[in-house]
Amino acid sequence: MNPLSDVRLVLLDVNETLSDTAALGAALTALGASAHLAPTWFAAVLRDGFALLAAGTPAPFADVARAAALTVLHGVVDDAALPGAADRLVAALGELPPHPDVAPGLRALAGAGLRLATLSHGSPAVAEAVLARAGVREHVERVVGVFDEAGTWKPAAAAYRHALDVCGTTPEQTLLVAVHPWDLHGAAQVGLRTAWVDRAGAPWPAVCTAPDVVVSDLGRLPAALGR
Amino acid sequence: MNPLSDVRLVLLDVNETLSDTAALGAALTALGASAHLAPTWFAAVLRDGFALLAAGTPAPFADVARAAALTVLHGVVDDAALPGAADRLVAALGELPPHPDVAPGLRALAGAGLRLATLSHGSPAVAEAVLARAGVREHVERVVGVFDEAGTWKPAAAAYRHALDVCGTTPEQTLLVAVHPWDLHGAAQVGLRTAWVDRAGAPWPAVCTAPDVVVSDLGRLPAALGR
Protein backbone atom coordinates (compact mmCIF):
# COMPACT_ATOMS: atom_id res chain seq x y z
CA MET A 1 0.00 0.00 0.00
CA ASN A 2 1.19 3.52 -0.78
CA PRO A 3 2.21 5.06 2.58
CA LEU A 4 1.04 8.40 1.20
CA SER A 5 -2.51 7.33 0.31
CA ASP A 6 -3.98 8.92 3.46
CA VAL A 7 -2.29 12.31 2.93
CA ARG A 8 -4.74 15.22 3.05
CA LEU A 9 -2.46 18.11 4.13
CA VAL A 10 0.86 19.13 2.56
CA LEU A 11 3.03 20.98 5.09
CA LEU A 12 5.77 22.92 3.34
CA ASP A 13 9.06 24.08 4.83
CA VAL A 14 9.93 27.66 3.77
CA ASN A 15 13.63 28.67 3.66
CA GLU A 16 15.43 26.86 0.80
CA THR A 17 12.38 24.64 0.16
CA LEU A 18 10.23 27.47 -1.23
CA SER A 19 12.82 30.27 -1.42
CA ASP A 20 16.00 30.23 -3.48
CA THR A 21 18.89 31.12 -1.17
CA ALA A 22 21.26 31.55 -4.13
CA ALA A 23 20.38 35.26 -3.96
CA LEU A 24 22.15 35.48 -0.58
CA GLY A 25 25.41 35.28 -2.53
CA ALA A 26 24.53 38.50 -4.34
CA ALA A 27 23.69 40.18 -1.02
CA LEU A 28 27.12 39.19 0.31
CA THR A 29 28.89 40.42 -2.83
CA ALA A 30 27.11 43.78 -2.47
CA LEU A 31 28.56 43.96 1.07
CA GLY A 32 32.08 43.35 -0.26
CA ALA A 33 32.11 39.76 1.04
CA SER A 34 32.50 36.48 -0.86
CA ALA A 35 29.36 34.75 -2.10
CA HIS A 36 30.72 31.46 -0.75
CA LEU A 37 30.03 32.69 2.79
CA ALA A 38 26.29 32.24 2.18
CA PRO A 39 26.15 28.47 2.86
CA THR A 40 28.53 28.87 5.82
CA TRP A 41 26.29 31.54 7.32
CA PHE A 42 23.06 29.66 6.74
CA ALA A 43 24.50 26.45 8.22
CA ALA A 44 25.73 28.49 11.22
CA VAL A 45 22.27 30.00 11.74
CA LEU A 46 20.69 26.55 11.92
CA ARG A 47 23.60 25.17 14.00
CA ASP A 48 23.19 27.91 16.60
CA GLY A 49 19.39 27.80 16.56
CA PHE A 50 19.40 24.01 17.07
CA ALA A 51 22.03 24.34 19.82
CA LEU A 52 19.81 26.81 21.69
CA LEU A 53 16.86 24.46 21.16
CA ALA A 54 18.84 21.47 22.50
CA ALA A 55 19.98 23.57 25.49
CA GLY A 56 16.32 24.25 26.33
CA THR A 57 16.42 27.95 25.41
CA PRO A 58 15.14 28.45 21.84
CA ALA A 59 15.50 32.01 20.47
CA PRO A 60 13.83 34.04 17.70
CA PHE A 61 15.16 33.06 14.27
CA ALA A 62 16.00 36.63 13.26
CA ASP A 63 18.08 37.12 16.43
CA VAL A 64 20.02 33.91 15.80
CA ALA A 65 20.51 34.87 12.14
CA ARG A 66 21.80 38.33 13.03
CA ALA A 67 24.23 37.04 15.68
CA ALA A 68 25.63 34.49 13.20
CA ALA A 69 25.91 37.19 10.53
CA LEU A 70 28.00 39.35 12.89
CA THR A 71 30.33 36.41 13.49
CA VAL A 72 30.65 35.35 9.84
CA LEU A 73 31.17 38.93 8.60
CA HIS A 74 33.65 39.80 11.39
CA GLY A 75 37.03 40.51 9.79
CA VAL A 76 35.41 40.47 6.33
CA VAL A 77 33.73 43.89 6.47
CA ASP A 78 35.00 46.88 8.49
CA ASP A 79 34.05 46.88 12.18
CA ALA A 80 32.12 50.14 11.75
CA ALA A 81 30.08 48.66 8.89
CA LEU A 82 29.46 45.33 10.65
CA PRO A 83 26.07 46.00 12.33
CA GLY A 84 24.57 47.42 9.14
CA ALA A 85 25.97 44.57 7.05
CA ALA A 86 24.49 41.97 9.41
CA ASP A 87 21.09 43.69 9.22
CA ARG A 88 21.31 43.70 5.41
CA LEU A 89 22.08 39.98 5.25
CA VAL A 90 19.18 39.09 7.57
CA ALA A 91 16.87 41.33 5.53
CA ALA A 92 17.99 39.56 2.33
CA LEU A 93 16.61 36.31 3.76
CA GLY A 94 13.15 37.92 3.74
CA GLU A 95 13.46 39.06 0.12
CA LEU A 96 14.40 35.78 -1.56
CA PRO A 97 12.65 34.74 -4.77
CA PRO A 98 10.71 31.46 -4.91
CA HIS A 99 12.22 28.55 -6.83
CA PRO A 100 10.65 28.32 -10.33
CA ASP A 101 8.85 25.07 -9.44
CA VAL A 102 6.99 26.61 -6.45
CA ALA A 103 4.11 28.33 -8.28
CA PRO A 104 3.22 25.45 -10.65
CA GLY A 105 3.89 22.86 -7.94
CA LEU A 106 1.62 24.44 -5.32
CA ARG A 107 -1.12 25.11 -7.90
CA ALA A 108 -1.02 21.47 -8.98
CA LEU A 109 -1.20 20.24 -5.37
CA ALA A 110 -4.15 22.53 -4.61
CA GLY A 111 -5.80 21.49 -7.89
CA ALA A 112 -5.48 17.86 -6.80
CA GLY A 113 -7.61 18.65 -3.75
CA LEU A 114 -4.84 18.72 -1.17
CA ARG A 115 -4.80 21.19 1.71
CA LEU A 116 -1.62 23.32 1.91
CA ALA A 117 0.15 24.98 4.86
CA THR A 118 3.70 26.12 5.65
CA LEU A 119 5.69 25.24 8.77
CA SER A 120 8.82 27.16 9.75
CA HIS A 121 10.59 28.43 12.85
CA GLY A 122 11.35 31.69 11.07
CA SER A 123 9.13 34.73 10.90
CA PRO A 124 5.66 34.09 9.39
CA ALA A 125 6.20 37.36 7.46
CA VAL A 126 9.07 35.72 5.52
CA ALA A 127 6.82 32.81 4.55
CA GLU A 128 3.97 35.18 3.60
CA ALA A 129 6.36 37.19 1.41
CA VAL A 130 7.70 34.26 -0.60
CA LEU A 131 4.18 32.84 -1.10
CA ALA A 132 2.97 36.25 -2.28
CA ARG A 133 5.97 36.60 -4.59
CA ALA A 134 5.14 33.20 -6.12
CA GLY A 135 1.48 34.28 -6.51
CA VAL A 136 0.18 31.27 -4.57
CA ARG A 137 -0.80 32.74 -1.19
CA GLU A 138 -4.49 32.03 -1.86
CA HIS A 139 -3.82 28.27 -2.06
CA VAL A 140 -2.20 28.09 1.39
CA GLU A 141 -4.69 27.90 4.26
CA ARG A 142 -2.22 28.52 7.10
CA VAL A 143 1.29 29.90 7.65
CA VAL A 144 2.53 28.26 10.86
CA GLY A 145 5.37 30.06 12.66
CA VAL A 146 6.32 27.52 15.26
CA PHE A 147 8.56 29.75 17.34
CA ASP A 148 6.01 32.58 17.49
CA GLU A 149 3.11 30.23 18.19
CA ALA A 150 4.68 27.49 20.31
CA GLY A 151 8.14 28.73 21.41
CA THR A 152 10.01 25.89 19.73
CA TRP A 153 11.94 25.05 16.56
CA LYS A 154 11.93 22.15 14.19
CA PRO A 155 13.13 19.37 14.41
CA ALA A 156 11.80 19.08 18.00
CA ALA A 157 8.77 16.78 18.13
CA ALA A 158 6.72 19.60 19.68
CA ALA A 159 7.06 21.64 16.48
CA TYR A 160 5.39 19.00 14.28
CA ARG A 161 2.78 18.20 16.95
CA HIS A 162 1.85 21.89 17.06
CA ALA A 163 1.30 21.86 13.29
CA LEU A 164 -0.93 18.77 13.55
CA ASP A 165 -2.91 20.45 16.34
CA VAL A 166 -3.56 23.73 14.56
CA CYS A 167 -4.29 22.05 11.22
CA GLY A 168 -6.47 19.33 12.77
CA THR A 169 -4.78 16.39 11.01
CA THR A 170 -3.26 13.08 12.06
CA PRO A 171 0.41 12.22 11.30
CA GLU A 172 -0.73 9.77 8.59
CA GLN A 173 -2.75 12.51 6.89
CA THR A 174 0.14 14.99 6.92
CA LEU A 175 3.08 15.17 4.50
CA LEU A 176 6.09 17.28 5.41
CA VAL A 177 7.84 18.57 2.29
CA ALA A 178 11.38 19.93 2.67
CA VAL A 179 14.83 20.12 1.14
CA HIS A 180 16.46 19.54 4.54
CA PRO A 181 16.95 15.93 5.65
CA TRP A 182 17.05 16.93 9.36
CA ASP A 183 13.53 18.38 9.00
CA LEU A 184 12.12 15.26 7.38
CA HIS A 185 13.88 13.15 10.01
CA GLY A 186 12.24 15.12 12.83
CA ALA A 187 8.81 14.84 11.20
CA ALA A 188 9.26 11.08 10.71
CA GLN A 189 9.93 10.64 14.46
CA VAL A 190 6.40 12.00 15.07
CA GLY A 191 4.91 9.71 12.41
CA LEU A 192 4.33 12.26 9.66
CA ARG A 193 4.78 11.25 6.04
CA THR A 194 7.80 12.81 4.37
CA ALA A 195 8.79 14.01 0.89
CA TRP A 196 12.35 15.10 0.13
CA VAL A 197 12.75 17.77 -2.53
CA ASP A 198 16.26 17.01 -3.80
CA ARG A 199 16.82 19.63 -6.50
CA ALA A 200 20.60 19.00 -6.54
CA GLY A 201 20.53 15.21 -6.79
CA ALA A 202 22.46 15.01 -3.51
CA PRO A 203 22.90 11.75 -1.57
CA TRP A 204 20.54 11.15 1.38
CA PRO A 205 22.46 11.32 4.70
CA ALA A 206 22.51 7.86 6.30
CA VAL A 207 22.08 9.30 9.84
CA CYS A 208 18.52 10.48 9.03
CA THR A 209 15.33 8.38 8.71
CA ALA A 210 14.79 7.90 4.97
CA PRO A 211 11.91 9.88 3.38
CA ASP A 212 8.78 8.17 2.04
CA VAL A 213 9.29 9.77 -1.35
CA VAL A 214 11.98 11.76 -3.20
CA VAL A 215 11.15 14.29 -5.93
CA SER A 216 13.48 16.48 -7.96
CA ASP A 217 11.04 19.40 -7.83
CA LEU A 218 7.64 20.34 -6.37
CA GLY A 219 5.88 19.84 -9.71
CA ARG A 220 6.46 16.09 -9.43
CA LEU A 221 4.78 15.83 -6.03
CA PRO A 222 1.14 15.28 -7.16
CA ALA A 223 2.17 12.28 -9.26
CA ALA A 224 4.30 10.94 -6.39
CA LEU A 225 1.16 11.17 -4.22
CA GLY A 226 -0.84 9.27 -6.83
CA ARG A 227 -3.07 12.27 -7.60
CA MET B 1 33.76 38.21 44.44
CA ASN B 2 35.39 36.47 41.49
CA PRO B 3 32.79 33.98 40.13
CA LEU B 4 35.72 31.73 39.24
CA SER B 5 37.27 31.53 42.74
CA ASP B 6 35.73 28.09 43.45
CA VAL B 7 36.98 26.54 40.21
CA ARG B 8 38.92 23.29 40.74
CA LEU B 9 38.38 21.49 37.40
CA VAL B 10 38.99 22.89 33.92
CA LEU B 11 36.86 21.07 31.36
CA LEU B 12 38.18 21.63 27.85
CA ASP B 13 36.26 21.33 24.60
CA VAL B 14 38.31 19.56 21.89
CA ASN B 15 37.54 20.35 18.21
CA GLU B 16 38.62 23.94 17.38
CA THR B 17 39.30 24.70 21.07
CA LEU B 18 42.38 22.43 21.27
CA SER B 19 42.78 21.48 17.59
CA ASP B 20 43.43 23.87 14.74
CA THR B 21 40.84 23.18 12.05
CA ALA B 22 42.69 25.37 9.54
CA ALA B 23 44.37 22.15 8.35
CA LEU B 24 40.99 20.94 7.05
CA GLY B 25 41.43 23.44 4.22
CA ALA B 26 44.58 21.61 3.11
CA ALA B 27 42.73 18.28 3.25
CA LEU B 28 40.03 19.71 0.98
CA THR B 29 42.58 21.16 -1.44
CA ALA B 30 44.25 17.74 -1.68
CA LEU B 31 40.83 16.33 -2.66
CA GLY B 32 40.51 18.91 -5.44
CA ALA B 33 37.94 20.95 -3.47
CA SER B 34 38.07 24.56 -2.25
CA ALA B 35 39.50 25.21 1.20
CA HIS B 36 36.56 27.53 1.90
CA LEU B 37 34.30 24.47 2.14
CA ALA B 38 35.91 23.60 5.51
CA PRO B 39 33.85 26.01 7.67
CA THR B 40 30.68 25.13 5.72
CA TRP B 41 31.27 21.43 6.34
CA PHE B 42 32.11 21.83 10.01
CA ALA B 43 29.06 24.04 10.61
CA ALA B 44 26.92 21.45 8.77
CA VAL B 45 28.28 18.64 10.96
CA LEU B 46 27.26 20.49 14.12
CA ARG B 47 23.96 21.61 12.57
CA ASP B 48 23.00 18.04 11.72
CA GLY B 49 24.29 16.60 14.99
CA PHE B 50 22.32 19.16 17.01
CA ALA B 51 19.22 18.55 14.87
CA LEU B 52 19.39 14.82 15.63
CA LEU B 53 19.91 15.67 19.30
CA ALA B 54 16.87 18.00 19.32
CA ALA B 55 14.80 15.33 17.53
CA GLY B 56 15.63 12.90 20.35
CA THR B 57 17.87 10.64 18.23
CA PRO B 58 21.54 11.62 18.73
CA ALA B 59 24.02 9.82 16.44
CA PRO B 60 27.76 9.07 16.54
CA PHE B 61 29.82 12.15 15.62
CA ALA B 62 31.83 10.33 12.94
CA ASP B 63 28.64 9.14 11.21
CA VAL B 64 27.20 12.67 11.19
CA ALA B 65 30.52 14.06 9.94
CA ARG B 66 30.73 11.52 7.12
CA ALA B 67 27.13 12.10 5.98
CA ALA B 68 27.71 15.87 5.90
CA ALA B 69 30.98 15.36 4.00
CA LEU B 70 29.13 13.35 1.32
CA THR B 71 26.63 16.20 0.94
CA VAL B 72 29.19 19.02 0.89
CA LEU B 73 31.51 17.20 -1.54
CA HIS B 74 28.64 16.09 -3.84
CA GLY B 75 29.13 17.78 -7.22
CA VAL B 76 32.60 18.95 -6.15
CA VAL B 77 34.45 15.64 -6.50
CA ASP B 78 33.52 12.86 -8.96
CA ASP B 79 30.72 10.54 -7.80
CA ALA B 80 33.07 7.54 -7.93
CA ALA B 81 35.59 9.31 -5.69
CA LEU B 82 32.96 10.65 -3.27
CA PRO B 83 32.96 7.89 -0.58
CA GLY B 84 36.76 7.89 -0.35
CA ALA B 85 36.90 11.68 -0.25
CA ALA B 86 34.35 11.80 2.59
CA ASP B 87 36.37 9.23 4.55
CA ARG B 88 39.54 11.30 4.01
CA LEU B 89 37.89 14.48 5.29
CA VAL B 90 36.57 12.77 8.43
CA ALA B 91 40.00 11.21 9.02
CA ALA B 92 41.60 14.67 8.71
CA LEU B 93 39.55 15.81 11.71
CA GLY B 94 41.40 13.20 13.79
CA GLU B 95 44.83 14.35 12.59
CA LEU B 96 44.61 18.07 13.36
CA PRO B 97 47.51 19.81 15.10
CA PRO B 98 46.96 21.56 18.44
CA HIS B 99 46.87 25.36 18.51
CA PRO B 100 50.28 26.73 19.63
CA ASP B 101 48.83 27.96 22.95
CA VAL B 102 47.56 24.50 23.99
CA ALA B 103 50.80 22.98 25.36
CA PRO B 104 51.95 26.03 27.40
CA GLY B 105 48.38 26.81 28.45
CA LEU B 106 47.57 23.33 29.77
CA ARG B 107 50.96 23.06 31.52
CA ALA B 108 50.35 26.41 33.23
CA LEU B 109 46.86 25.36 34.36
CA ALA B 110 48.15 22.05 35.73
CA GLY B 111 51.06 23.86 37.36
CA ALA B 112 48.57 26.15 39.11
CA GLY B 113 47.03 23.09 40.76
CA LEU B 114 43.93 22.83 38.61
CA ARG B 115 42.49 19.48 37.55
CA LEU B 116 42.09 19.07 33.77
CA ALA B 117 39.66 17.02 31.67
CA THR B 118 38.22 17.19 28.14
CA LEU B 119 34.54 17.03 27.21
CA SER B 120 33.43 16.34 23.65
CA HIS B 121 30.70 14.49 21.77
CA GLY B 122 33.29 13.30 19.25
CA SER B 123 35.41 10.20 19.52
CA PRO B 124 37.62 10.06 22.65
CA ALA B 125 40.40 8.84 20.32
CA VAL B 126 40.39 12.24 18.57
CA ALA B 127 40.81 14.02 21.91
CA GLU B 128 43.56 11.58 22.98
CA ALA B 129 45.40 12.19 19.71
CA VAL B 130 45.45 15.99 19.92
CA LEU B 131 46.51 15.89 23.60
CA ALA B 132 49.32 13.45 22.72
CA ARG B 133 50.38 15.61 19.79
CA ALA B 134 50.60 18.62 22.15
CA GLY B 135 52.61 16.52 24.63
CA VAL B 136 50.19 17.24 27.49
CA ARG B 137 48.25 13.98 27.84
CA GLU B 138 49.80 13.36 31.29
CA HIS B 139 48.22 16.55 32.66
CA VAL B 140 44.66 15.54 31.71
CA GLU B 141 43.00 13.17 34.18
CA ARG B 142 40.00 12.21 32.04
CA VAL B 143 38.90 12.32 28.40
CA VAL B 144 35.09 12.39 28.51
CA GLY B 145 33.33 11.24 25.33
CA VAL B 146 29.76 12.17 26.10
CA PHE B 147 28.14 10.32 23.21
CA ASP B 148 30.04 7.09 23.90
CA GLU B 149 29.48 7.31 27.67
CA ALA B 150 26.04 8.89 27.96
CA GLY B 151 24.43 8.79 24.49
CA THR B 152 24.04 12.55 24.22
CA TRP B 153 25.74 15.63 22.75
CA LYS B 154 26.56 19.04 24.05
CA PRO B 155 24.85 21.49 24.51
CA ALA B 156 22.13 19.29 26.12
CA ALA B 157 22.14 19.72 29.91
CA ALA B 158 22.68 15.96 30.31
CA ALA B 159 26.09 16.24 28.65
CA TYR B 160 27.46 18.69 31.25
CA ARG B 161 25.77 16.83 34.12
CA HIS B 162 27.49 13.64 32.98
CA ALA B 163 30.86 15.41 33.12
CA LEU B 164 30.15 16.68 36.64
CA ASP B 165 29.13 13.16 37.70
CA VAL B 166 32.19 11.37 36.37
CA CYS B 167 34.61 14.07 37.56
CA GLY B 168 32.93 14.43 40.97
CA THR B 169 32.65 18.23 40.93
CA THR B 170 29.89 20.78 41.46
CA PRO B 171 28.93 23.30 38.74
CA GLU B 172 30.63 26.10 40.73
CA GLN B 173 33.87 24.12 40.84
CA THR B 174 33.86 23.42 37.10
CA LEU B 175 34.96 25.74 34.31
CA LEU B 176 34.02 24.91 30.73
CA VAL B 177 36.60 26.29 28.29
CA ALA B 178 35.61 26.51 24.62
CA VAL B 179 35.80 28.57 21.45
CA HIS B 180 32.12 27.88 20.69
CA PRO B 181 29.55 30.21 22.25
CA TRP B 182 26.78 27.55 21.99
CA ASP B 183 28.87 25.23 24.18
CA LEU B 184 29.47 27.84 26.87
CA HIS B 185 25.78 28.75 26.71
CA GLY B 186 24.76 25.14 27.34
CA ALA B 187 27.20 24.82 30.25
CA ALA B 188 25.92 28.07 31.78
CA GLN B 189 22.35 26.72 31.79
CA VAL B 190 23.59 23.95 34.12
CA GLY B 191 25.43 26.44 36.34
CA LEU B 192 29.00 25.74 35.23
CA ARG B 193 31.50 28.57 35.05
CA THR B 194 32.51 29.50 31.51
CA ALA B 195 35.60 30.83 29.73
CA TRP B 196 35.48 31.84 26.09
CA VAL B 197 38.67 31.40 24.09
CA ASP B 198 38.23 34.06 21.40
CA ARG B 199 41.39 33.73 19.31
CA ALA B 200 39.89 35.75 16.43
CA GLY B 201 38.58 38.70 18.46
CA ALA B 202 35.06 37.92 17.23
CA PRO B 203 31.93 39.52 18.74
CA TRP B 204 29.99 37.49 21.33
CA PRO B 205 26.59 36.40 19.91
CA ALA B 206 23.83 38.15 21.84
CA VAL B 207 21.56 35.08 21.77
CA CYS B 208 23.94 33.17 24.09
CA THR B 209 24.45 33.60 27.85
CA ALA B 210 27.62 35.70 28.24
CA PRO B 211 30.75 33.88 29.48
CA ASP B 212 32.27 34.59 32.90
CA VAL B 213 35.62 35.38 31.31
CA VAL B 214 37.06 35.93 27.83
CA VAL B 215 40.68 35.13 26.95
CA SER B 216 42.49 35.50 23.63
CA ASP B 217 44.42 32.25 24.20
CA LEU B 218 44.71 29.41 26.72
CA GLY B 219 47.95 30.82 28.18
CA ARG B 220 45.99 33.71 29.67
CA LEU B 221 43.59 31.44 31.53
CA PRO B 222 45.56 30.97 34.81
CA ALA B 223 45.78 34.74 35.31
CA ALA B 224 42.06 35.11 34.48
CA LEU B 225 41.40 32.53 37.19
CA GLY B 226 43.52 34.50 39.66
CA ARG B 227 46.16 31.75 39.92
Side-chain angles (χ1 to χ4, degrees):
Chain A
M1 206 184 101
N2 185 339
L4 304 180
S5 56
D6 287 338
V7 169
R8 298 289 174 269
L9 173 74
V10 174
L11 203 52
L12 298 140
D13 172 51
V14 177
N15 284 328
E16 294 195 308
T17 297
L18 300 184
S19 61
D20 185 353
T21 52
L24 292 175
L28 282 160
T29 305
L31 293 167
S34 293
H36 69 66
L37 289 176
T40 302
W41 173 60
F42 199 70
V45 174
L46 294 175
R47 175 198 66 200
D48 294 350
F50 297 164
L52 294 170
L53 175 66
T57 55
F61 186 89
D63 294 355
V64 178
R66 188 171 191 277
L70 288 170
T71 301
V72 168
L73 294 174
H74 169 75
V76 174
V77 304
D78 289 345
D79 279 0
L82 194 54
D87 289 339
R88 187 77 277 288
L89 193 54
V90 175
L93 206 54
E95 297 159 4
L96 296 174
H99 286 287
D101 55 317
V102 169
L106 269 60
R107 284 193 192 110
L109 289 164
L114 290 153
R115 296 169 57 195
L116 301 180
T118 64
L119 177 64
S120 70
H121 33 239
S123 160
V126 169
E128 294 278 359
V130 71
L131 291 170
R133 224 168 276 129
V136 292
R137 179 63 187 88
E138 65 187 302
H139 298 303
V140 177
E141 64 177 62
R142 208 176 187 299
V143 168
V144 182
V146 83
F147 181 78
D148 289 15
E149 296 177 23
T152 192
W153 280 46
K154 299 185 288 182
Y160 306 101
R161 291 203 183 107
H162 173 76
L164 298 178
D165 282 350
V166 299
C167 294
T169 51
T170 65
E172 298 73 23
Q173 292 171 335
T174 310
L175 179 74
L176 188 83
V177 177
V179 297
H180 303 122
W182 54 260
D183 195 358
L184 300 161
H185 176 89
Q189 306 316 303
V190 180
L192 273 70
R193 303 309 181 225
T194 56
W196 187 31
V197 181
D198 182 22
R199 294 189 180 95
W204 179 260
V207 288
C208 291
T209 300
D212 292 311
V213 66
V214 182
V215 292
S216 58
D217 66 66
L218 288 167
R220 293 175 188 269
L221 203 48
L225 286 163
R227 309 296 168 105
Chain B
M1 205 184 102
N2 185 339
L4 304 179
S5 56
D6 286 339
V7 169
R8 299 288 173 272
L9 174 74
V10 175
L11 204 51
L12 298 140
D13 172 50
V14 176
N15 285 328
E16 294 195 307
T17 297
L18 300 183
S19 61
D20 185 352
T21 52
L24 292 175
L28 283 160
T29 305
L31 293 167
S34 294
H36 69 67
L37 289 177
T40 302
W41 173 59
F42 199 69
V45 174
L46 295 175
R47 175 198 66 199
D48 294 350
F50 296 163
L52 294 170
L53 175 66
T57 55
F61 185 90
D63 293 355
V64 178
R66 187 171 192 279
L70 288 170
T71 301
V72 167
L73 294 174
H74 169 75
V76 174
V77 304
D78 288 346
D79 278 1
L82 192 55
D87 288 340
R88 186 78 278 290
L89 194 54
V90 175
L93 206 54
E95 298 160 4
L96 296 174
H99 285 287
D101 55 314
V102 169
L106 268 61
R107 284 193 191 109
L109 288 165
L114 289 154
R115 297 169 56 194
L116 301 180
T118 63
L119 176 64
S120 70
H121 33 239
S123 161
V126 169
E128 294 278 1
V130 71
L131 291 170
R133 224 168 276 130
V136 293
R137 180 62 188 88
E138 65 187 303
H139 298 301
V140 177
E141 65 178 61
R142 206 173 187 303
V143 168
V144 182
V146 84
F147 181 78
D148 288 17
E149 296 177 22
T152 191
W153 280 46
K154 299 184 289 181
Y160 307 100
R161 293 204 181 106
H162 174 76
L164 297 178
D165 282 350
V166 298
C167 294
T169 51
T170 66
E172 298 73 23
Q173 293 172 335
T174 310
L175 178 73
L176 187 83
V177 177
V179 297
H180 303 121
W182 54 260
D183 195 358
L184 300 161
H185 175 90
Q189 307 316 304
V190 180
L192 274 71
R193 304 309 182 225
T194 56
W196 187 31
V197 182
D198 182 21
R199 293 190 182 93
W204 179 260
V207 288
C208 292
T209 300
D212 292 311
V213 67
V214 182
V215 292
S216 58
D217 65 66
L218 288 168
R220 293 174 188 270
L221 203 49
L225 287 164
R227 309 298 168 104

